[in-house]
Amino acid sequence: MLFRSVLFSLFHLRKEPSKSENIALVKIDDISIKSLGEWPWSRDVIADALLRMKELGAAKAIFDVEYISPSKNGINPTAQQSISSSLSTLSDSVASLVEQLSSASTSGFYTTEEIDSLTQSLIQENLNSEFENLENFVSESIVRDNDEYFAQSLQFFGESYLTINHEHFGYEASVEDSDYIKNRLLLKNVEDPKNLISKGNSFTNKESGETAGFTPSLHKLITRSYGSNFTNSVIDGDGVRRRMELLYEYDGEYIPQLAFGPFLDIVQSHEVERTKSHFVIKNALNPLTNQREDIKVPVDPHGRILINWRKGSCEESFYNESIFNLINLDLMENIIVTTFSNIASQTIIGLDGLPLAYFDHANYILDLYSEINQVKENLLNLCTGYDQNGNVLDGISSSDYEYYFSLRNAFYAESKAFLEQDYLPQIKNRLSELYSIIDEDVLLQIEEYMNEDFGNLSYVDDFAELYSYLKDFYNGKWCIIGNTATSTTDNGASPLQKKYMNVGVHATILNS
């Protein structure tokens, strides 16, 4: 007890480490859960957040969330648009067949019996197959495999990191999964002639009461992630986290700790040596000096680093943002697109017999957004994973990303330009000219709709303001995603805080 009291005093007396400009916590916090419902959410929510983080320039996405089992499918948000397009195509086909039958019946070249036979033939050869294709399309389009969508988003983002838990959870990874992960994701270039890492792991397991195991993220997900690392923490007998293992030996290979794996990528070295008192990262690119050198990380006799805590809470210690603001961008964007659809559905003809200028502009924006969705779908379909050697099976080129994001920038710019054109006075003037020829109630209803829709375009400026703020926040950040809500049990104690969110532990280690 005396030793712990002395250690606690030393923690308060030591110089506080500085806060990294690159590390950010992406919080699943109270406001997120209040807005989106109890955790865990369906995985398409996190997938959409990842796509936004990529667009905003985030460098890394490190998940302090375990995805070890399949989730339920969800409703495809683009189903309505896809089905409407298919119905339109079918409607054109039906109209064409009706026109053919009408021409045949009035031509005088066919008898009544021949017309009946032609009708049956056209129905069997064309309409039946058209309706069957539509039925299949609807059933395939309306449901989305959210695990697959999340997996695609992990690869779309790029440097995304999932988890491998080294505790036994009651089931074993398949031989196929285990071999794939060992070949692609675990460290091999580790010098440890005295087997100190494995001995240290055994000591820590015995101390914590953990049973050694191997519980990776879902295969569909881990094959699209850039890396996978362990989340397990070292907890002292008094419940406080003071130390952390950096490597865990598994069948002759090594799982890095959740923050240590990305750090090795940051310093561009995966050669590690375990000495009696250090982990030595060979020929690393020092992020402070930008020089190549061996980085020595001091460890205790069991291979654990002493966590170099900052003195404030998890949120006080690091840059942090609610994940809800990423989702809020999507919510506002959906309102904007719906508003343009509403505006484009009201066609007001000018004196020249053509629709007023707002009509073509709104439809141009909607066409642009349709192209964005099509390009996005094409890019996600290229995210088919990595082979065992880490080679991308399909993948997205830098020019693909540039084109996609240029389309999105054009959408934002055109939305802003539409707002600045201030079409509403012109629309109202034209409606006033039509009172003598169109029912007044109809015109008043149209004006009411237009007032409401043009009022909703205020979201264009709201979106731009939030987007600009988040762009500044996320650009270049190493983001650690985890739960900080008051309802979460994913918290513990640090030497300086009685309640400390565990996501901050990993941020602290990366900061160290």
Side-chain angles (χ1 to χ4, degrees):
M1 182 62 74
L2 177 62
F3 171 75
R4 284 181 181 154
S5 297
V6 172
L7 188 60
F8 184 76
S9 299
L10 290 174
F11 267 113
H12 277 280
L13 291 172
R14 68 177 172 75
K15 182 181 178 182
E16 181 180 28
S18 59
K19 177 171 72 173
S20 170
E21 293 294 316
N22 294 322
I23 299 170
L25 303 178
V26 181
K27 305 178 297 182
I28 300 162
D29 56 1
D30 287 334
I31 189 172
S32 304
I33 289 175
K34 183 178 179 181
S35 302
L36 300 172
E38 285 301 315
W39 179 261
W41 304 322
S42 61
R43 289 176 187 168
D44 60 321
V45 176
I46 302 296
D48 287 336
L50 267 183
L51 298 181
R52 279 293 179 190
M53 288 168 63
K54 177 69 175 180
E55 182 179 355
L56 294 166
K60 296 183 183 296
I62 305 163
F63 281 89
D64 184 25
V65 181
E66 295 189 326
Y67 296 102
I68 61 178
S69 58
S71 69
K72 294 179 181 179
N73 290 340
I75 301 297
N76 188 344
T78 63
Q80 183 177 356
Q81 182 181 352
S82 301
I83 292 169
S84 294
S85 177
S86 295
L87 284 171
S88 177
T89 302
L90 178 59
S91 176
D92 291 342
S93 297
V94 171
S96 176
L97 290 174
V98 169
E99 187 178 345
Q100 290 179 52
L101 288 172
S102 177
S103 298
S105 63
T106 58
S107 67
F109 292 112
Y110 298 95
T111 65
T112 302
E113 290 77 12
E114 288 172 330
I115 291 293
D116 288 342
S117 176
L118 178 61
T119 300
Q120 292 301 318
S121 175
L122 288 173
I123 289 172
Q124 290 173 6
E125 294 177 11
N126 295 279
L127 282 186
N128 285 346
S129 61
E130 292 271 6
F131 277 102
E132 184 179 345
N133 289 339
L134 177 62
E135 182 181 0
N136 292 335
F137 181 79
V138 169
S139 64
E140 291 170 2
S141 299
I142 204 164
V143 175
R144 178 167 67 186
D145 180 345
N146 281 335
D147 286 338
E148 176 63 19
Y149 181 56
F150 181 37
Q152 291 173 330
S153 299
L154 287 165
Q155 187 174 342
F156 181 96
F157 178 87
E159 294 186 30
S160 58
Y161 299 82
L162 293 179
T163 65
I164 300 170
N165 197 304
H166 61 61
E167 186 175 1
H168 183 64
F169 280 171
Y171 70 90
E172 298 294 333
S174 69
V175 174
E176 225 176 38
D177 273 9
S178 181
D179 286 347
Y180 174 88
I181 292 167
K182 282 180 61 182
N183 287 333
R184 184 168 91 83
L185 298 170
L186 302 193
L187 288 182
K188 297 173 176 59
N189 296 328
V190 177
E191 295 180 41
D192 185 20
K194 295 185 178 179
N195 206 25
L196 296 176
I197 297 172
S198 180
K199 291 175 182 176
N201 297 155
S202 298
F203 175 86
T204 300
N205 282 349
K206 185 177 179 181
E207 190 177 53
S208 65
E210 282 189 6
T211 303
F214 187 74
T215 309
S217 298
L218 191 66
H219 182 77
K220 183 182 290 188
L221 304 181
I222 212 165
T223 55
R224 321 293 177 87
S225 69
Y226 190 78
S228 288
N229 310 289
F230 71 79
T231 58
N232 309 66
S233 292
V234 178
I235 305 174
D236 288 346
D238 60 353
V240 175
R241 289 170 168 80
R242 296 183 177 89
R243 303 169 182 81
M244 181 67 73
E245 293 182 291
L246 293 183
L247 292 178
Y248 192 91
E249 189 271 333
Y250 173 73
D251 199 18
E253 314 288 353
Y254 298 89
I255 313 169
Q257 192 273 338
L258 191 73
F260 190 53
F263 178 73
L264 295 177
D265 291 332
I266 291 166
V267 300
Q268 300 176 20
S269 173
H270 294 88
E271 276 190 68
V272 180
E273 179 186 2
R274 171 70 162 93
T275 67
K276 182 179 179 180
S277 56
H278 290 85
F279 274 109
V280 183
I281 307 168
K282 300 292 191 68
N283 194 33
L285 183 66
N286 189 314
L288 301 180
T289 65
N290 206 35
Q291 300 295 316
R292 288 280 179 180
E293 59 186 70
D294 289 352
I295 296 177
K296 293 185 176 182
V297 182
V299 293
D300 71 11
H302 305 293
R304 304 173 302 193
I305 64 166
L306 187 66
I307 300 173
N308 195 13
W309 297 97
R310 287 178 52 78
K311 291 182 179 179
S313 68
C314 167
E315 293 180 330
E316 291 167 338
S317 296
F318 301 101
Y319 294 103
N320 58 89
E321 246 308 320
S322 172
I323 198 170
F324 178 69
N325 275 334
L326 296 170
I327 307 304
N328 202 20
L329 282 179
D330 286 339
L331 295 174
M332 286 194 286
E333 186 171 291
N334 289 338
I335 291 172
I336 292 167
V337 173
T338 300
T339 299
F340 279 124
S341 296
N342 293 339
I343 291 171
S345 70
Q346 302 287 338
T347 312
I348 300 173
I349 304 299
L351 289 171
D352 58 0
L354 299 174
L356 297 182
Y358 79 89
F359 180 80
D360 286 341
H361 200 171
N363 277 288
Y364 172 75
I365 291 170
L366 292 173
D367 289 343
L368 182 58
Y369 198 72
S370 293
E371 185 179 0
I372 288 169
N373 283 334
Q374 186 58 60
V375 172
K376 171 187 169 183
E377 185 177 344
N378 293 341
L379 295 184
L380 289 174
N381 287 336
L382 293 173
C383 297
T384 55
Y386 302 83
D387 67 18
Q388 290 199 10
N389 298 317
N391 300 311
V392 180
L393 297 177
D394 290 306
I396 304 172
S397 68
S398 58
S399 60
D400 290 334
Y401 281 120
E402 287 172 11
Y403 179 63
Y404 175 66
F405 293 130
S406 72
L407 286 177
R408 294 194 61 79
N409 289 335
F411 170 77
Y412 306 144
E414 283 299 329
S415 298
K416 182 70 172 175
F418 187 97
L419 187 63
E420 291 172 348
Q421 284 292 332
D422 194 19
Y423 290 115
L424 193 55
Q426 181 190 24
I427 292 170
K428 289 184 175 181
N429 287 338
R430 181 55 183 154
L431 288 175
S432 67
E433 295 169 353
L434 296 172
Y435 273 106
S436 60
I437 57 176
I438 297 177
D439 184 87
E440 182 177 345
D441 290 338
V442 172
L443 293 175
L444 287 173
Q445 186 72 73
I446 292 172
E447 185 172 346
E448 183 181 337
Y449 288 153
M450 285 296 192
N451 281 331
E452 182 180 347
D453 289 327
F454 274 83
N456 283 337
L457 287 180
S458 62
Y459 280 102
V460 171
D461 284 337
D462 294 341
F463 178 94
E465 184 179 353
L466 179 58
Y467 186 93
S468 176
Y469 161 72
L470 292 177
K471 182 81 172 174
D472 288 342
F473 178 85
Y474 278 100
N475 193 39
K477 288 289 197 300
W478 309 328
C479 300
I480 305 178
I481 303 163
N483 200 327
T484 65
T486 52
S487 59
T488 185
T489 58
D490 193 18
N491 56 67
S494 79
L496 305 175
Q497 301 279 331
K498 290 182 179 179
K499 185 176 181 180
Y500 195 90
M501 296 301 173
N502 287 343
V503 64
V505 176
H506 307 296
T508 300
I509 291 166
L510 187 54
N511 191 63
S512 299

